[in-house]
Amino acid sequence: MNKGIEFDKMIKGGGQYRMSLRELANSRRAECLLGVSVLVLHVVIALLVDRPDLIWDEGRYLDGAVNLTKGSFVTPESPDIVNGPGYPLVLAALLGLNVPLLGLRLLNSVFMALAAWFSFRTVLPYAGRGWSVTVALVTGLHPSLLRVAPFLMTESLAVCCVAGFAWAFTAALRSEKIAWRPILLAAFAMGWLTMTRVFFGNVIMASIFFLLILLPIWKKARVTLLRALLMLGLAFALCLPWLAYTKSKTGDTLCWSTNAGELLYWATSTGHGENGHWFSDIDAINKPELIANGHREFYQAHYYLPVKEREAAFKKKAMENLRANPVGAFKNWLCNWGRLTLGWPRSFHAEELLMLVLVTANMPLVLGVLLALGVGCQKWRSIPPELYLLALMSFIYLGGTSLLPGLPRYTLVIWPWMGLVVAMVLNRHLRLRLAD
């Protein structure tokens, strides 16, 4: 076949990206090299930082996995549902094979490699190989994710699901005819993402709500909206067993987890020196600055109550905080945007060198998103409908997350969505074409 023959990657609403056979072959080599490189790098880092003890949230996820091997996610003695079963289910399968702790941790290297590969494949039809590699490298090698990926933390699986969803979702919406394979893959990815990071359950419900509103208004994109509703509806259906389980444990309908009250408590707390940063129960009881602000007394009285009573007490106190000092709560909200993007400010914490690394890594991403948003608002007619929908879900996620204490890694998990929009808009309208 003649290498001059061109393949047209049709993009609805915005022209086409043309790729020759040689470019296609180069892209195949690039994505293979990318995936292998990210995998090897994460394996090496995991081996270098491996330790015999558990840190951060590793104990909670491993306990959930052990419980699942015994037939239940939470025990009657401790029915606290802080996180979903998505990641513990993966760990439980490996525990059944007697995989050691290092092996469990190394699985995240596979998730990160897949996340980079999915990101590459998602961006390629919209902005070419240069932007595909760039977005994929940010996905697989960002410092926030490099820091947590070697341990039993959910970010690696979450970003893999986010990137996989973006790839399947855009492919399903670009297809001229209904394509069940990407539709089912997108539904599975979003469903597993929600079981891994249960806040995405709210993203699914809010997105369905807005899509239903848009359906009679955005008539030109009716087919796109209906397919998107189908994928999100199937994803929600996959979550129904989990919602039935939480209802059986709490009695509450649409209960995704049982720690929202505690997060709202810290988000609205405006004691001296506080800015909405989250603290653990150990901090609340032992940290002098928090004791002075009355947190020890409240925690000792309410934190160890039965889960449902504890949640009610924390939510009640959060509402009292909000009514008592709405301006202070608003300042906490503004500070939380700083934590979500740059990891700063944090109450009663000495700033670390890591903050400078995050500022250096995240500031260009923040500026890129803002620039793409500004340009996109002016050139909105040329943006494909599927990118509008990913942008909508990104805004829903970030808006909801901003109401709770956040960290940069919470934002980074949806970079594959934001990165696609940034790459497409800047490549097309500012002619920022990275070398292919």
Side-chain angles (χ1 to χ4, degrees):
M1 185 179 293
N2 191 329
K3 291 187 178 181
I5 297 177
E6 294 183 320
F7 290 88
D8 294 342
K9 303 295 183 181
M10 303 302 298
I11 307 298
K12 294 189 296 182
Q16 59 190 16
Y17 177 78
R18 302 178 71 85
M19 182 179 294
S20 68
L21 278 174
R22 179 175 297 175
E23 291 173 329
L24 186 63
N26 289 339
S27 295
R28 291 288 183 265
R29 287 193 291 270
E31 69 182 271
C32 291
L33 178 62
L34 176 74
V36 172
S37 299
V38 172
L39 174 63
V40 170
L41 178 61
H42 276 275
V43 168
V44 170
I45 293 174
L47 293 175
L48 290 175
V49 303
D50 186 49
R51 51 194 292 172
D53 59 323
L54 301 176
I55 65 172
W56 298 328
D57 297 331
E58 285 189 303
R60 188 174 76 244
Y61 297 125
L62 194 56
D63 286 344
V66 172
N67 290 340
L68 285 170
T69 63
K70 299 177 181 178
S72 179
F73 186 51
V74 295
T75 62
E77 299 79 22
S78 180
D80 199 2
I81 307 172
V82 178
N83 55 269
Y87 190 50
L89 276 169
V90 175
L91 298 179
L94 296 181
L95 287 177
L97 299 174
N98 297 316
V99 175
L101 178 60
L102 177 59
L104 299 178
R105 287 169 168 167
L106 284 173
L107 182 62
N108 280 348
S109 302
V110 178
F111 291 142
M112 293 306 302
L114 287 173
W117 181 74
F118 282 134
S119 295
F120 180 94
R121 295 301 301 271
T122 303
V123 177
L124 186 62
Y126 294 90
R129 194 174 75 247
W131 275 106
S132 299
V133 171
T134 301
V135 173
L137 287 176
V138 173
T139 301
L141 303 180
H142 191 278
S144 289
L145 299 177
L146 282 175
R147 184 169 180 247
V148 297
F151 303 101
L152 301 183
M153 302 290 284
T154 61
E155 279 72 23
S156 298
L157 177 55
V159 75
C160 179
C161 290
V162 166
F165 173 79
W167 180 43
F169 184 76
T170 54
L173 296 184
R174 286 200 312 270
S175 177
E176 294 184 5
K177 299 180 180 180
I178 190 165
W180 284 106
R181 184 177 297 178
I183 285 174
L184 294 177
L185 177 59
F188 175 80
M190 179 58 82
W192 205 269
L193 171 63
T194 304
M195 293 297 92
T196 303
R197 300 291 287 269
V198 290
F199 187 81
F200 281 93
N202 299 305
V203 176
I204 291 176
M205 294 190 297
S207 299
I208 289 175
F209 172 77
F210 283 112
L211 291 182
L212 289 174
I213 292 177
L214 288 172
L215 200 56
I217 300 173
W218 197 3
K219 295 181 180 179
K220 290 185 178 180
R222 183 179 178 83
V223 172
T224 298
L225 295 176
L226 287 173
R227 289 184 188 178
L229 281 169
L230 174 61
M231 286 181 273
L232 293 175
L234 289 173
F236 184 79
L238 292 174
C239 300
L240 291 178
W242 171 247
L243 292 174
Y245 182 77
T246 59
K247 183 176 177 62
S248 70
K249 297 297 181 181
T250 66
D252 295 333
T253 302
L254 294 178
C255 175
W256 296 100
S257 72
T258 58
N259 75 326
E262 182 185 1
L263 295 175
L264 288 171
Y265 170 84
W266 289 111
T268 58
S269 184
T270 57
H272 178 69
E274 294 184 54
N275 54 34
H277 180 63
W278 177 85
F279 291 95
S280 69
D281 58 312
I282 297 174
D283 291 330
I285 294 173
N286 297 293
K287 200 172 184 64
E289 298 91 340
L290 298 178
I291 295 173
N293 288 343
H295 294 294
R296 172 193 276 182
E297 181 180 355
F298 182 83
Y299 260 70
Q300 288 179 336
H302 300 97
Y303 188 76
Y304 303 103
L305 292 172
V307 172
K308 194 167 185 177
E309 295 177 32
R310 184 197 70 196
E311 270 289 278
F314 273 89
K315 288 180 180 178
K316 180 181 177 182
K317 183 62 176 177
M319 294 303 103
E320 291 175 359
N321 291 341
L322 185 60
R323 288 191 293 268
N325 190 357
V327 174
F330 178 73
K331 290 180 179 178
N332 286 357
W333 179 72
L334 293 178
C335 288
N336 201 41
W337 281 105
R339 284 186 290 272
L340 286 170
T341 54
L342 304 176
W344 179 89
R346 301 180 299 168
S347 308
F348 312 126
H349 277 74
E351 297 306 336
E352 305 169 343
L353 180 61
L354 177 63
M355 190 196 75
L356 296 178
V357 176
L358 291 178
V359 170
T360 302
N362 287 1
M363 188 58 73
L365 304 185
V366 173
L367 293 176
V369 170
L370 293 177
L371 181 60
L373 182 62
V375 174
C377 288
Q378 296 178 0
K379 306 290 185 179
W380 60 273
R381 291 182 183 276
S382 66
I383 298 176
E386 62 269 22
L387 268 65
Y388 274 119
L389 300 185
L390 283 179
L392 172 64
M393 286 187 280
S394 298
F395 284 129
I396 291 171
Y397 172 80
L398 290 175
T401 304
S402 72
L403 300 176
L404 305 172
L407 294 169
R409 55 191 170 94
Y410 298 171
T411 305
L412 259 297
V413 296
I414 64 161
W415 166 251
W417 296 353
M418 296 187 295
L420 169 61
V421 178
V422 169
M424 181 269 176
V425 172
L426 298 188
N427 176 73
R428 179 171 298 173
H429 296 295
L430 292 188
R431 299 188 181 278
L432 294 180
R433 303 185 186 279
L434 302 185
D436 285 337

PDB file of all heavy atoms in Angstrom, residues 193-221:
ATOM      1  N   LEU A 193     -14.748   3.053  38.254  1.00  0.00           N
ATOM      2  CA  LEU A 193     -14.212   4.291  38.820  1.00  0.00           C
ATOM      3  C   LEU A 193     -15.031   4.732  40.026  1.00  0.00           C
ATOM      4  O   LEU A 193     -14.478   5.119  41.066  1.00  0.00           O
ATOM      5  CB  LEU A 193     -14.228   5.387  37.750  1.00  0.00           C
ATOM      6  CG  LEU A 193     -13.897   6.806  38.216  1.00  0.00           C
ATOM      7  CD1 LEU A 193     -12.474   6.892  38.741  1.00  0.00           C
ATOM      8  CD2 LEU A 193     -14.115   7.803  37.073  1.00  0.00           C
ATOM      9  N   THR A 194     -16.344   4.644  39.909  1.00  0.00           N
ATOM     10  CA  THR A 194     -17.207   5.053  41.016  1.00  0.00           C
ATOM     11  C   THR A 194     -17.069   4.121  42.211  1.00  0.00           C
ATOM     12  O   THR A 194     -17.088   4.567  43.367  1.00  0.00           O
ATOM     13  CB  THR A 194     -18.678   5.092  40.549  1.00  0.00           C
ATOM     14  OG1 THR A 194     -18.778   5.968  39.418  1.00  0.00           O
ATOM     15  CG2 THR A 194     -19.594   5.584  41.652  1.00  0.00           C
ATOM     16  N   MET A 195     -16.894   2.841  41.952  1.00  0.00           N
ATOM     17  CA  MET A 195     -16.672   1.916  43.054  1.00  0.00           C
ATOM     18  C   MET A 195     -15.302   2.131  43.707  1.00  0.00           C
ATOM     19  O   MET A 195     -15.105   1.771  44.866  1.00  0.00           O
ATOM     20  CB  MET A 195     -16.768   0.471  42.547  1.00  0.00           C
ATOM     21  CG  MET A 195     -18.155   0.049  42.096  1.00  0.00           C
ATOM     22  SD  MET A 195     -19.367   0.084  43.443  1.00  0.00           S
ATOM     23  CE  MET A 195     -20.020   1.764  43.261  1.00  0.00           C
ATOM     24  N   THR A 196     -14.384   2.760  42.953  1.00  0.00           N
ATOM     25  CA  THR A 196     -13.061   3.040  43.489  1.00  0.00           C
ATOM     26  C   THR A 196     -13.025   4.374  44.222  1.00  0.00           C
ATOM     27  O   THR A 196     -12.465   4.486  45.320  1.00  0.00           O
ATOM     28  CB  THR A 196     -12.027   3.052  42.344  1.00  0.00           C
ATOM     29  OG1 THR A 196     -12.081   1.793  41.664  1.00  0.00           O
ATOM     30  CG2 THR A 196     -10.619   3.283  42.864  1.00  0.00           C
ATOM     31  N   ARG A 197     -13.618   5.399  43.603  1.00  0.00           N
ATOM     32  CA  ARG A 197     -13.714   6.721  44.210  1.00  0.00           C
ATOM     33  C   ARG A 197     -15.191   7.111  44.178  1.00  0.00           C
ATOM     34  O   ARG A 197     -15.688   7.613  43.174  1.00  0.00           O
ATOM     35  CB  ARG A 197     -12.862   7.731  43.435  1.00  0.00           C
ATOM     36  CG  ARG A 197     -11.389   7.392  43.371  1.00  0.00           C
ATOM     37  CD  ARG A 197     -10.708   7.517  44.719  1.00  0.00           C
ATOM     38  NE  ARG A 197     -10.543   8.902  45.093  1.00  0.00           N
ATOM     39  CZ  ARG A 197      -9.458   9.648  44.810  1.00  0.00           C
ATOM     40  NH1 ARG A 197      -8.451   9.104  44.148  1.00  0.00           N
ATOM     41  NH2 ARG A 197      -9.373  10.884  45.194  1.00  0.00           N
ATOM     42  N   VAL A 198     -15.879   6.858  45.293  1.00  0.00           N
ATOM     43  CA  VAL A 198     -17.339   6.905  45.290  1.00  0.00           C
ATOM     44  C   VAL A 198     -17.903   8.285  45.000  1.00  0.00           C
ATOM     45  O   VAL A 198     -19.086   8.411  44.656  1.00  0.00           O
ATOM     46  CB  VAL A 198     -17.905   6.380  46.623  1.00  0.00           C
ATOM     47  CG1 VAL A 198     -17.686   4.885  46.756  1.00  0.00           C
ATOM     48  CG2 VAL A 198     -17.300   7.130  47.818  1.00  0.00           C
ATOM     49  N   PHE A 199     -17.095   9.336  45.104  1.00  0.00           N
ATOM     50  CA  PHE A 199     -17.608  10.671  44.783  1.00  0.00           C
ATOM     51  C   PHE A 199     -18.089  10.743  43.336  1.00  0.00           C
ATOM     52  O   PHE A 199     -18.963  11.556  43.005  1.00  0.00           O
ATOM     53  CB  PHE A 199     -16.532  11.731  45.026  1.00  0.00           C
ATOM     54  CG  PHE A 199     -17.031  13.137  44.872  1.00  0.00           C
ATOM     55  CD1 PHE A 199     -17.716  13.759  45.902  1.00  0.00           C
ATOM     56  CD2 PHE A 199     -16.863  13.829  43.677  1.00  0.00           C
ATOM     57  CE1 PHE A 199     -18.200  15.054  45.755  1.00  0.00           C
ATOM     58  CE2 PHE A 199     -17.343  15.116  43.524  1.00  0.00           C
ATOM     59  CZ  PHE A 199     -18.015  15.730  44.572  1.00  0.00           C
ATOM     60  N   PHE A 200     -17.546   9.913  42.465  1.00  0.00           N
ATOM     61  CA  PHE A 200     -17.974   9.931  41.067  1.00  0.00           C
ATOM     62  C   PHE A 200     -19.416   9.463  40.915  1.00  0.00           C
ATOM     63  O   PHE A 200     -20.016   9.671  39.854  1.00  0.00           O
ATOM     64  CB  PHE A 200     -17.033   9.089  40.213  1.00  0.00           C
ATOM     65  CG  PHE A 200     -15.748   9.790  39.876  1.00  0.00           C
ATOM     66  CD1 PHE A 200     -14.632   9.633  40.672  1.00  0.00           C
ATOM     67  CD2 PHE A 200     -15.671  10.623  38.780  1.00  0.00           C
ATOM     68  CE1 PHE A 200     -13.442  10.287  40.380  1.00  0.00           C
ATOM     69  CE2 PHE A 200     -14.489  11.289  38.472  1.00  0.00           C
ATOM     70  CZ  PHE A 200     -13.375  11.119  39.286  1.00  0.00           C
ATOM     71  N   GLY A 201     -19.977   8.843  41.930  1.00  0.00           N
ATOM     72  CA  GLY A 201     -21.401   8.544  41.889  1.00  0.00           C
ATOM     73  C   GLY A 201     -22.221   9.813  41.795  1.00  0.00           C
ATOM     74  O   GLY A 201     -23.229   9.877  41.075  1.00  0.00           O
ATOM     75  N   ASN A 202     -21.802  10.845  42.510  1.00  0.00           N
ATOM     76  CA  ASN A 202     -22.469  12.144  42.403  1.00  0.00           C
ATOM     77  C   ASN A 202     -22.252  12.768  41.034  1.00  0.00           C
ATOM     78  O   ASN A 202     -23.135  13.451  40.505  1.00  0.00           O
ATOM     79  CB  ASN A 202     -21.931  13.080  43.498  1.00  0.00           C
ATOM     80  CG  ASN A 202     -22.186  12.547  44.889  1.00  0.00           C
ATOM     81  OD1 ASN A 202     -23.305  12.244  45.265  1.00  0.00           O
ATOM     82  ND2 ASN A 202     -21.126  12.419  45.680  1.00  0.00           N
ATOM     83  N   VAL A 203     -21.075  12.532  40.446  1.00  0.00           N
ATOM     84  CA  VAL A 203     -20.801  13.050  39.110  1.00  0.00           C
ATOM     85  C   VAL A 203     -21.737  12.398  38.094  1.00  0.00           C
ATOM     86  O   VAL A 203     -22.282  13.074  37.215  1.00  0.00           O
ATOM     87  CB  VAL A 203     -19.329  12.805  38.730  1.00  0.00           C
ATOM     88  CG1 VAL A 203     -19.055  13.244  37.285  1.00  0.00           C
ATOM     89  CG2 VAL A 203     -18.401  13.538  39.689  1.00  0.00           C
ATOM     90  N   ILE A 204     -21.934  11.093  38.213  1.00  0.00           N
ATOM     91  CA  ILE A 204     -22.850  10.397  37.302  1.00  0.00           C
ATOM     92  C   ILE A 204     -24.257  10.976  37.415  1.00  0.00           C
ATOM     93  O   ILE A 204     -24.892  11.314  36.403  1.00  0.00           O
ATOM     94  CB  ILE A 204     -22.880   8.882  37.607  1.00  0.00           C
ATOM     95  CG1 ILE A 204     -21.550   8.233  37.239  1.00  0.00           C
ATOM     96  CG2 ILE A 204     -24.023   8.206  36.842  1.00  0.00           C
ATOM     97  CD1 ILE A 204     -21.478   6.757  37.606  1.00  0.00           C
ATOM     98  N   MET A 205     -24.760  11.098  38.644  1.00  0.00           N
ATOM     99  CA  MET A 205     -26.136  11.570  38.833  1.00  0.00           C
ATOM    100  C   MET A 205     -26.311  13.003  38.355  1.00  0.00           C
ATOM    101  O   MET A 205     -27.300  13.332  37.680  1.00  0.00           O
ATOM    102  CB  MET A 205     -26.528  11.436  40.299  1.00  0.00           C
ATOM    103  CG  MET A 205     -26.617   9.999  40.783  1.00  0.00           C
ATOM    104  SD  MET A 205     -27.345   9.829  42.435  1.00  0.00           S
ATOM    105  CE  MET A 205     -26.141  10.722  43.432  1.00  0.00           C
ATOM    106  N   ALA A 206     -25.346  13.880  38.671  1.00  0.00           N
ATOM    107  CA  ALA A 206     -25.447  15.274  38.232  1.00  0.00           C
ATOM    108  C   ALA A 206     -25.341  15.376  36.712  1.00  0.00           C
ATOM    109  O   ALA A 206     -26.052  16.174  36.080  1.00  0.00           O
ATOM    110  CB  ALA A 206     -24.358  16.109  38.903  1.00  0.00           C
ATOM    111  N   SER A 207     -24.461  14.572  36.108  1.00  0.00           N
ATOM    112  CA  SER A 207     -24.313  14.603  34.650  1.00  0.00           C
ATOM    113  C   SER A 207     -25.588  14.147  33.959  1.00  0.00           C
ATOM    114  O   SER A 207     -26.018  14.763  32.965  1.00  0.00           O
ATOM    115  CB  SER A 207     -23.141  13.710  34.223  1.00  0.00           C
ATOM    116  OG  SER A 207     -21.925  14.157  34.774  1.00  0.00           O
ATOM    117  N   ILE A 208     -26.200  13.091  34.455  1.00  0.00           N
ATOM    118  CA  ILE A 208     -27.471  12.632  33.882  1.00  0.00           C
ATOM    119  C   ILE A 208     -28.523  13.727  33.991  1.00  0.00           C
ATOM    120  O   ILE A 208     -29.288  13.977  33.042  1.00  0.00           O
ATOM    121  CB  ILE A 208     -27.942  11.347  34.599  1.00  0.00           C
ATOM    122  CG1 ILE A 208     -27.030  10.172  34.218  1.00  0.00           C
ATOM    123  CG2 ILE A 208     -29.393  11.028  34.244  1.00  0.00           C
ATOM    124  CD1 ILE A 208     -27.338   8.893  34.965  1.00  0.00           C
ATOM    125  N   PHE A 209     -28.557  14.406  35.122  1.00  0.00           N
ATOM    126  CA  PHE A 209     -29.524  15.500  35.324  1.00  0.00           C
ATOM    127  C   PHE A 209     -29.332  16.593  34.270  1.00  0.00           C
ATOM    128  O   PHE A 209     -30.294  17.037  33.625  1.00  0.00           O
ATOM    129  CB  PHE A 209     -29.354  16.072  36.734  1.00  0.00           C
ATOM    130  CG  PHE A 209     -30.160  17.310  37.000  1.00  0.00           C
ATOM    131  CD1 PHE A 209     -31.528  17.231  37.248  1.00  0.00           C
ATOM    132  CD2 PHE A 209     -29.551  18.564  36.990  1.00  0.00           C
ATOM    133  CE1 PHE A 209     -32.270  18.372  37.477  1.00  0.00           C
ATOM    134  CE2 PHE A 209     -30.285  19.709  37.224  1.00  0.00           C
ATOM    135  CZ  PHE A 209     -31.654  19.615  37.470  1.00  0.00           C
ATOM    136  N   PHE A 210     -28.093  17.033  34.067  1.00  0.00           N
ATOM    137  CA  PHE A 210     -27.837  18.110  33.101  1.00  0.00           C
ATOM    138  C   PHE A 210     -28.060  17.650  31.671  1.00  0.00           C
ATOM    139  O   PHE A 210     -28.545  18.423  30.829  1.00  0.00           O
ATOM    140  CB  PHE A 210     -26.409  18.633  33.273  1.00  0.00           C
ATOM    141  CG  PHE A 210     -26.227  19.542  34.454  1.00  0.00           C
ATOM    142  CD1 PHE A 210     -25.466  19.146  35.543  1.00  0.00           C
ATOM    143  CD2 PHE A 210     -26.838  20.788  34.485  1.00  0.00           C
ATOM    144  CE1 PHE A 210     -25.301  19.977  36.637  1.00  0.00           C
ATOM    145  CE2 PHE A 210     -26.678  21.635  35.582  1.00  0.00           C
ATOM    146  CZ  PHE A 210     -25.912  21.229  36.665  1.00  0.00           C
ATOM    147  N   LEU A 211     -27.731  16.393  31.365  1.00  0.00           N
ATOM    148  CA  LEU A 211     -27.960  15.891  30.010  1.00  0.00           C
ATOM    149  C   LEU A 211     -29.449  15.829  29.686  1.00  0.00           C
ATOM    150  O   LEU A 211     -29.855  16.109  28.551  1.00  0.00           O
ATOM    151  CB  LEU A 211     -27.318  14.513  29.845  1.00  0.00           C
ATOM    152  CG  LEU A 211     -25.790  14.474  29.843  1.00  0.00           C
ATOM    153  CD1 LEU A 211     -25.303  13.047  29.625  1.00  0.00           C
ATOM    154  CD2 LEU A 211     -25.202  15.398  28.797  1.00  0.00           C
ATOM    155  N   LEU A 212     -30.243  15.474  30.659  1.00  0.00           N
ATOM    156  CA  LEU A 212     -31.700  15.458  30.445  1.00  0.00           C
ATOM    157  C   LEU A 212     -32.234  16.860  30.189  1.00  0.00           C
ATOM    158  O   LEU A 212     -33.183  17.049  29.411  1.00  0.00           O
ATOM    159  CB  LEU A 212     -32.391  14.836  31.653  1.00  0.00           C
ATOM    160  CG  LEU A 212     -32.205  13.321  31.830  1.00  0.00           C
ATOM    161  CD1 LEU A 212     -32.809  12.845  33.137  1.00  0.00           C
ATOM    162  CD2 LEU A 212     -32.817  12.559  30.656  1.00  0.00           C
ATOM    163  N   ILE A 213     -31.645  17.855  30.838  1.00  0.00           N
ATOM    164  CA  ILE A 213     -32.045  19.239  30.590  1.00  0.00           C
ATOM    165  C   ILE A 213     -31.630  19.674  29.183  1.00  0.00           C
ATOM    166  O   ILE A 213     -32.376  20.370  28.474  1.00  0.00           O
ATOM    167  CB  ILE A 213     -31.418  20.178  31.646  1.00  0.00           C
ATOM    168  CG1 ILE A 213     -32.034  19.903  33.030  1.00  0.00           C
ATOM    169  CG2 ILE A 213     -31.613  21.647  31.263  1.00  0.00           C
ATOM    170  CD1 ILE A 213     -31.423  20.732  34.138  1.00  0.00           C
ATOM    171  N   LEU A 214     -30.426  19.253  28.765  1.00  0.00           N
ATOM    172  CA  LEU A 214     -29.915  19.647  27.454  1.00  0.00           C
ATOM    173  C   LEU A 214     -30.627  18.951  26.304  1.00  0.00           C
ATOM    174  O   LEU A 214     -30.651  19.461  25.179  1.00  0.00           O
ATOM    175  CB  LEU A 214     -28.417  19.342  27.376  1.00  0.00           C
ATOM    176  CG  LEU A 214     -27.482  20.227  28.186  1.00  0.00           C
ATOM    177  CD1 LEU A 214     -26.070  19.669  28.144  1.00  0.00           C
ATOM    178  CD2 LEU A 214     -27.500  21.656  27.652  1.00  0.00           C
ATOM    179  N   LEU A 215     -31.204  17.800  26.563  1.00  0.00           N
ATOM    180  CA  LEU A 215     -31.773  16.978  25.492  1.00  0.00           C
ATOM    181  C   LEU A 215     -32.780  17.732  24.619  1.00  0.00           C
ATOM    182  O   LEU A 215     -32.674  17.693  23.380  1.00  0.00           O
ATOM    183  CB  LEU A 215     -32.400  15.719  26.095  1.00  0.00           C
ATOM    184  CG  LEU A 215     -32.626  14.544  25.147  1.00  0.00           C
ATOM    185  CD1 LEU A 215     -31.336  14.126  24.464  1.00  0.00           C
ATOM    186  CD2 LEU A 215     -33.216  13.366  25.916  1.00  0.00           C
ATOM    187  N   PRO A 216     -33.768  18.444  25.202  1.00  0.00           N
ATOM    188  CA  PRO A 216     -34.702  19.170  24.326  1.00  0.00           C
ATOM    189  C   PRO A 216     -34.153  20.500  23.818  1.00  0.00           C
ATOM    190  O   PRO A 216     -34.748  21.125  22.935  1.00  0.00           O
ATOM    191  CB  PRO A 216     -35.907  19.405  25.251  1.00  0.00           C
ATOM    192  CG  PRO A 216     -35.316  19.468  26.626  1.00  0.00           C
ATOM    193  CD  PRO A 216     -34.165  18.502  26.613  1.00  0.00           C
ATOM    194  N   ILE A 217     -33.010  20.938  24.349  1.00  0.00           N
ATOM    195  CA  ILE A 217     -32.450  22.241  23.975  1.00  0.00           C
ATOM    196  C   ILE A 217     -31.411  22.094  22.874  1.00  0.00           C
ATOM    197  O   ILE A 217     -31.429  22.827  21.886  1.00  0.00           O
ATOM    198  CB  ILE A 217     -31.821  22.921  25.215  1.00  0.00           C
ATOM    199  CG1 ILE A 217     -32.873  23.130  26.304  1.00  0.00           C
ATOM    200  CG2 ILE A 217     -31.174  24.244  24.826  1.00  0.00           C
ATOM    201  CD1 ILE A 217     -32.301  23.629  27.613  1.00  0.00           C
ATOM    202  N   TRP A 218     -30.508  21.151  23.034  1.00  0.00           N
ATOM    203  CA  TRP A 218     -29.394  20.958  22.101  1.00  0.00           C
ATOM    204  C   TRP A 218     -29.799  19.896  21.078  1.00  0.00           C
ATOM    205  O   TRP A 218     -29.309  18.770  21.087  1.00  0.00           O
ATOM    206  CB  TRP A 218     -28.155  20.540  22.873  1.00  0.00           C
ATOM    207  CG  TRP A 218     -26.883  20.702  22.118  1.00  0.00           C
ATOM    208  CD1 TRP A 218     -26.701  21.227  20.874  1.00  0.00           C
ATOM    209  CD2 TRP A 218     -25.580  20.315  22.580  1.00  0.00           C
ATOM    210  NE1 TRP A 218     -25.385  21.198  20.517  1.00  0.00           N
ATOM    211  CE2 TRP A 218     -24.665  20.660  21.548  1.00  0.00           C
ATOM    212  CE3 TRP A 218     -25.105  19.734  23.747  1.00  0.00           C
ATOM    213  CZ2 TRP A 218     -23.302  20.402  21.675  1.00  0.00           C
ATOM    214  CZ3 TRP A 218     -23.752  19.490  23.864  1.00  0.00           C
ATOM    215  CH2 TRP A 218     -22.862  19.829  22.838  1.00  0.00           C
ATOM    216  N   LYS A 219     -30.668  20.251  20.180  1.00  0.00           N
ATOM    217  CA  LYS A 219     -31.270  19.282  19.265  1.00  0.00           C
ATOM    218  C   LYS A 219     -30.262  18.723  18.265  1.00  0.00           C
ATOM    219  O   LYS A 219     -30.377  17.573  17.843  1.00  0.00           O
ATOM    220  CB  LYS A 219     -32.439  19.932  18.531  1.00  0.00           C
ATOM    221  CG  LYS A 219     -33.593  20.314  19.468  1.00  0.00           C
ATOM    222  CD  LYS A 219     -34.754  20.923  18.708  1.00  0.00           C
ATOM    223  CE  LYS A 219     -35.883  21.280  19.671  1.00  0.00           C
ATOM    224  NZ  LYS A 219     -37.047  21.898  18.968  1.00  0.00           N
ATOM    225  N   LYS A 220     -29.267  19.517  17.868  1.00  0.00           N
ATOM    226  CA  LYS A 220     -28.280  19.034  16.902  1.00  0.00           C
ATOM    227  C   LYS A 220     -27.426  17.905  17.471  1.00  0.00           C
ATOM    228  O   LYS A 220     -26.866  17.119  16.718  1.00  0.00           O
ATOM    229  CB  LYS A 220     -27.388  20.193  16.456  1.00  0.00           C
ATOM    230  CG  LYS A 220     -28.095  21.220  15.584  1.00  0.00           C
ATOM    231  CD  LYS A 220     -27.117  22.274  15.095  1.00  0.00           C
ATOM    232  CE  LYS A 220     -27.817  23.280  14.189  1.00  0.00           C
ATOM    233  NZ  LYS A 220     -26.870  24.328  13.703  1.00  0.00           N
ATOM    234  N   ALA A 221     -27.323  17.875  18.783  1.00  0.00           N
ATOM    235  CA  ALA A 221     -26.485  16.850  19.422  1.00  0.00           C
ATOM    236  C   ALA A 221     -27.338  15.790  20.102  1.00  0.00           C
ATOM    237  O   ALA A 221     -26.879  15.105  21.014  1.00  0.00           O
ATOM    238  CB  ALA A 221     -25.548  17.501  20.432  1.00  0.00           C
TER     239      ALA A 221
END
